[in-house]
Amino acid sequence: KLILTTVMEDVYMKRTNGYRILFYLVNTLFWFNIFVAGFTACVIIYFHYDDSILQNTSFNVSLGKGLVDVNMHEYPDTKLIQLLIVASFISCILSSAMLWNFKVLFKNAAKGSIFVSSNTKAIFAMGIIFLIGSFAAGVPKFFIAAKLAPLLNVKHGTITISYSIDGILFIAAVFILLLGAFFKKAVAIAQENELTI
């Protein structure tokens, strides 16, 4: 019995150490994302007042998930590049929020607290972030495509620009929100069992 208890304690310690390592890894990624978001915010503010560096620069933008690849050389309008920088800033903010919720999950798992309300909130928050991302992902591409459309010359056919949500992110958001609902129910059952005991 003592040997079995010792083995179970070793397995538990290894599992919590694994969660602790994941927590530190996610924590590092979170702070790196915060740094990148802060740097990007400074760049946005700087370019708002002085965009002379961006003038006559070349940039590459991919539309339609790599189906259309546009390489712009010496394009005088700096609004497109500024839009791409703002989009990357918003992406950093959303990924920072996602990593924060992963931090909560792994921190609780390292403590051995799985079925707690903070984990439920973190799962719901991740689902909402994925949902926002699914709608927001196509916005910069839509505006860039609308800006570039007059510059394109198509001899046979027409150019149609349409906004679409990211289907993969949307499906992931729905599954995560459903997982959050199941997890909320599991937390309620676990709390009822603790009160019964």
Side-chain angles (χ1 to χ4, degrees):
K1 190 174 181 180
L2 181 63
I3 294 171
L4 181 62
T5 306
T6 307
V7 169
M8 289 179 70
E9 286 176 359
D10 287 343
V11 169
Y12 176 75
M13 287 301 292
K14 285 179 183 177
R15 188 178 298 161
T16 54
N17 284 338
Y19 288 131
R20 197 169 286 122
I21 290 167
L22 287 172
F23 168 75
Y24 289 129
L25 177 66
V26 170
N27 191 36
T28 305
L29 288 172
F30 169 77
W31 287 111
F32 177 74
N33 251 10
I34 292 292
F35 172 77
V36 171
F39 178 76
T40 310
C42 293
V43 169
I44 291 168
I45 293 168
Y46 176 77
F47 286 150
H48 179 70
Y49 293 107
D50 182 20
D51 62 349
S52 58
I53 299 171
L54 299 178
Q55 291 173 356
N56 297 326
T57 57
S58 63
F59 66 97
N60 192 2
V61 61
S62 181
L63 302 172
K65 297 195 176 181
L67 295 175
V68 179
D69 198 35
V70 182
N71 196 352
M72 304 296 292
H73 294 289
E74 296 183 0
Y75 186 60
D77 191 0
T78 62
K79 296 296 181 188
L80 288 181
I81 302 173
Q82 289 178 356
L83 179 64
L84 288 173
I85 295 170
V86 170
S88 65
F89 172 73
I90 294 170
S91 176
C92 282
I93 295 297
L94 289 175
S95 58
S96 296
M98 181 70 68
L99 288 168
W100 174 265
N101 289 295
F102 272 117
K103 273 178 59 174
V104 171
L105 287 174
F106 290 133
K107 187 175 183 180
N108 287 336
K111 291 177 182 176
S113 304
I114 303 295
F115 297 107
V116 290
S117 60
S118 60
N119 283 352
T120 306
K121 290 175 185 174
I123 291 170
F124 273 119
M126 285 191 288
I128 291 168
I129 291 166
F130 268 105
L131 195 63
I132 292 169
S134 68
F135 286 100
V139 174
K141 291 181 180 181
F142 176 77
F143 282 113
I144 291 168
K147 196 83 171 174
L148 294 178
L151 303 175
L152 300 176
N153 186 12
V154 179
K155 290 183 179 179
H156 304 288
T158 58
I159 298 171
T160 304
I161 299 168
S162 62
Y163 166 79
S164 63
I165 65 170
D166 192 320
I168 296 171
L169 283 179
F170 183 78
I171 291 169
V174 170
F175 277 114
I176 290 171
L177 289 171
L178 287 173
L179 177 66
F182 286 123
F183 206 85
K184 186 177 181 181
K185 185 70 175 173
V187 168
I189 291 169
Q191 288 174 350
E192 284 176 10
N193 289 340
E194 284 179 8
L195 290 173
T196 305
I197 293 167

